Amino acid sequence: MNEPIVTRHWLAIAAPKAAPVLATSTVLILGRIWNANGAEHSVGNAALMVVLAAGAATAGAFASAGRAGDPVIAGTAFATSGALALAGVAGYADGLSLPLLLWALATAVTYGLAARYWRTDRRETLAHERHTSLRHEEHAHVERVEALRAGAQIQVAREGAAYAEALAAALTARAALPGFDLAQLTRAGLPELPTSRTDTTKEDW
C-alpha cells in the first residue's frame, strides 16, 4: 500500500503561476511589434481589432448565459477579447504609457481570475489527498488485523503439532519401558488408545 512519493520540479510548480504574466506580456510585445510595422495610428487595423474583440466578448456572453452555459468556453472567449483589445491598443498607440497601463490592468485581472481557480483546485487536491490517506489507513489497519490473525493461527497450529509430537514421543518412550500397562494409564485420566482396528469394530457392534 505504500506509494512512492513524487517530488515535483520547481519549474512545474512555478509555471502555472507565471502563465498569466507571460500571456499578457506576449500580447504586449506582439502588439508593439505590430505597431513598429505599420499599425500605429492605422484606423483600419484598430477597427479590425475592435470588431474581433467585440465578437469574442459577445461569444463569451452567449456561452455564459443560461443554465447550459459553459464556464470554460466563456472564460476563453473573454480572455481572447481582452487579449485582442490589448493588442489593438498596443499596436495603435504611439507611446508606451497606455499599452503598459492596459498590460498591468489585464495582468491584475488575469491573476484575480486565476487565483479563484487555483483555490478551487487546491481544495479539491487536499480533499483527494485526505480521502486517499484515510483509505490507506483503513487498508493498513485491515492488513495488520489479518496479519495478527494469521500469525495467531499459525502459532496455535505449531503449538498443537509440537504437543502432539511430544505426546507421541512420550507414549512411545513409556511403552518401551518394562511394566507398561495401558489400562492403568487409561485409569490415570488419559484417553483410551485403541489397540487395533478389530477391537474397535467389535466394541462398536
Side-chain angles (χ1 to χ4, degrees):
M1 296 301 296
N2 294 328
E3 296 182 354
I5 300 176
V6 179
T7 304
R8 298 176 61 189
H9 195 271
W10 66 271
L11 286 176
I13 299 175
K17 307 299 182 182
V21 68
L22 290 177
T24 55
S25 298
T26 301
V27 172
L28 177 63
I29 292 171
L30 292 177
R32 296 310 295 174
I33 293 174
W34 187 31
N35 174 274
N37 286 274
E40 183 177 357
H41 294 171
S42 175
V43 179
N45 291 331
L48 175 63
M49 299 306 290
V50 169
V51 171
L52 292 177
T58 303
F62 279 113
S64 61
R67 294 183 178 180
D70 191 339
V72 176
I73 296 177
T76 303
F78 285 127
T80 303
S81 175
L84 291 171
L86 175 60
V89 172
Y92 182 83
D94 55 356
L96 279 176
S97 300
L98 183 58
L100 286 177
L101 178 61
L102 291 179
W103 170 81
L105 179 61
T107 303
V109 172
T110 304
Y111 270 107
L113 294 176
R116 176 183 177 185
Y117 292 101
W118 290 338
R119 286 193 298 269
T120 302
D121 182 70
R122 181 61 178 170
R123 285 196 298 267
E124 292 177 354
T125 301
L126 290 176
H128 175 71
E129 291 178 353
R130 189 178 298 109
H131 177 68
T132 303
S133 177
L134 290 176
R135 289 186 59 187
H136 286 179
E137 291 179 359
E138 291 176 359
H139 286 297
H141 176 70
V142 172
E143 287 183 354
R144 286 193 295 269
V145 171
E146 292 298 329
L148 292 174
R149 183 179 302 171
Q153 292 177 352
I154 293 174
Q155 184 65 25
V156 170
R158 287 178 178 175
E159 292 177 356
Y163 174 77
E165 291 178 0
L167 180 61
L171 292 177
T172 302
R174 183 69 181 86
L177 296 176
F180 175 73
D181 187 0
L182 181 60
Q184 184 178 1
L185 184 64
T186 303
R187 286 194 300 270
L190 293 177
E192 182 179 357
L193 299 177
T195 56
S196 66
R197 186 175 180 85
T198 304
D199 296 342
T200 304
T201 306
K202 290 181 180 180
E203 291 178 1
D204 292 339
W205 284 95

